[in-house]
Amino acid sequence: QVQLEESGGGLVQAGGSRRLSCAASGRIFTFSNYAMGWFRQAPGKEREFVAGISRSGGSRDYADSVKGRFTISRDNAKTVYLQMNNLKPEDTAVYHCAATAVVAYATVAVTSKEYNYWGQGTQVTVSS
């Protein structure tokens, strides 16, 4: 069993920056066995992929809407980050962290169905 806890959400003005964190834990859990991702869901919309990082950390992928503005990273302390720069009002959403062990070492999982574990989410609101 894997637990994921997001933090770092809040209210930010358009053009500003925010860094989200996701702390992973579990009784029998090896962080390097899991690819990680960030998804978001805005009111009235479906959950969408934002960014993903492979188990190795060497491969990353981003939604077109955030390329050049967001950066995903992971460290050895079982944490994955999402650095968000030049935020726009359309980035307003609940951001969820996700983990999966069902991908190859260098693969980035980009669809929600590939992920096994989800955090509760953290709200990011961007004001214009």
Side-chain angles (χ1 to χ4, degrees):
Q1 190 73 11
V2 176
Q3 290 83 45
L4 303 173
E5 184 173 359
E6 303 95 337
S7 61
L11 177 64
V12 60
Q13 289 188 332
S17 298
R18 202 81 181 181
R19 189 176 82 156
L20 303 182
S21 299
C22 172
S25 63
R27 195 169 69 87
I28 303 175
F29 173 66
T30 303
F31 189 50
S32 60
N33 286 347
Y34 291 81
M36 305 295 294
W38 286 96
F39 289 74
R40 67 186 181 186
Q41 187 166 19
K45 295 186 177 181
E46 293 187 354
R47 185 176 295 180
E48 64 174 354
F49 171 77
V50 175
I53 189 167
S54 63
R55 291 164 56 190
S56 67
S59 299
R60 297 172 176 85
D61 200 0
Y62 299 92
D64 288 342
S65 59
V66 307
K67 279 182 181 176
R69 300 188 297 122
F70 290 13
T71 302
I72 188 171
S73 62
R74 62 190 296 164
D75 64 19
N76 294 328
K78 301 182 181 180
T79 303
V80 62
Y81 304 95
L82 185 68
Q83 177 65 44
M84 305 184 295
N85 298 327
N86 190 23
L87 282 160
K88 304 176 180 180
E90 51 264 42
D91 294 319
T92 295
V94 176
Y95 284 72
H96 295 270
C97 175
T100 178
V102 193
V103 291
Y105 190 62
T107 298
V108 178
V110 300
T111 64
S112 59
K113 64 181 181 180
E114 296 178 270
Y115 286 89
N116 310 105
Y117 303 100
W118 294 85
Q120 292 297 310
T122 185
Q123 175 71 46
V124 174
T125 302
V126 184
S127 62
S128 57

